[in-house]
Amino acid sequence: MADSTVEAAHDVPHRGHDTREAVLFGGVYGAVLASSLVAALTQHGHSSAASRRYDALWVLVTAFASALAHGYAHYIAERGPRRHWTSLRALANEWPLIAAVLPTVFILAGAGWGWWPPTEVEEPAFLLNIAILFTLGVITARGSRRHWPAALLLGLGDALLGVIVVVANALIK
């Protein structure tokens, strides 16, 4: 009896995470990753336009590498039979991580292109990523039918992850 249940479970195609869950996971991971990278890349005092373009490229490369590693880990951890294109679908499901780092890439690249001072990117990047974390928390909580007070509290909890990066950056410097 148990064997037939296990076999039946393997016949059901894997649906993966729902979109809301994937956006929250990838978005939170991407925003924290972007803040951490900005903190690390600005630590060494390189603040020329050229270094900001370099920083933007490294944030993007790191995000793609992280997305590939995370998607690959999901693919490998998947149990049961695999269908054609499953590996590519696992990688494509990591788009929220990439999307979450793009605003930081834009801030860094914009400084590299002379749109704003290259020495003044750290604070706007941190604030933007904290806002992204807050928004993701609120939207996800509201999508889960939580009331506004609970959704705002969860948004603040997500934003706290970004604040932790800012505080750690200040303490480490």
Side-chain angles (χ1 to χ4, degrees):
M1 187 69 107
D3 291 333
S4 63
T5 306
V6 172
E7 289 174 16
H10 286 292
D11 292 338
V12 176
H14 175 67
R15 290 185 182 93
H17 301 295
D18 74 359
T19 303
R20 184 176 45 233
E21 185 179 340
V23 169
L24 179 65
F25 287 167
V28 167
Y29 184 78
V32 172
L33 177 69
S35 289
S36 299
L37 288 169
V38 166
L41 292 168
T42 59
Q43 172 62 27
H44 299 290
H46 303 291
S47 58
S48 67
S51 68
R52 291 301 177 221
R53 289 189 303 271
Y54 175 84
D55 292 349
L57 183 59
W58 269 111
V59 169
L60 197 57
V61 166
T62 303
F64 272 102
S66 296
L68 285 171
H70 195 245
Y72 180 72
H74 275 288
Y75 174 73
I76 295 301
E78 179 86 16
R79 301 207 186 263
R82 293 192 173 101
R83 295 206 161 87
H84 193 57
W85 299 108
T86 304
S87 61
L88 293 178
R89 195 172 330 122
L91 298 176
N93 287 339
E94 299 301 321
W95 69 266
L97 190 157
I98 304 297
V101 302
L102 291 179
T104 300
V105 169
F106 177 75
I107 288 173
L108 293 168
W113 295 323
W115 295 349
W116 40 80
T119 57
E120 298 176 20
V121 297
E122 197 170 22
E123 186 176 321
F126 287 156
L127 291 174
L128 182 60
N129 286 314
I130 290 169
I132 289 169
L133 288 164
F134 175 79
T135 303
L136 284 169
V138 170
I139 289 171
T140 303
R142 289 296 296 158
S144 297
R145 301 182 195 272
R146 295 188 188 231
H147 296 288
W148 276 106
L152 293 172
L153 190 59
L154 288 168
L156 287 173
D158 281 0
L160 183 60
L161 295 170
V163 172
I164 289 170
V165 172
V166 172
V167 169
N169 183 47
L171 293 173
I172 292 170
K173 283 185 177 182

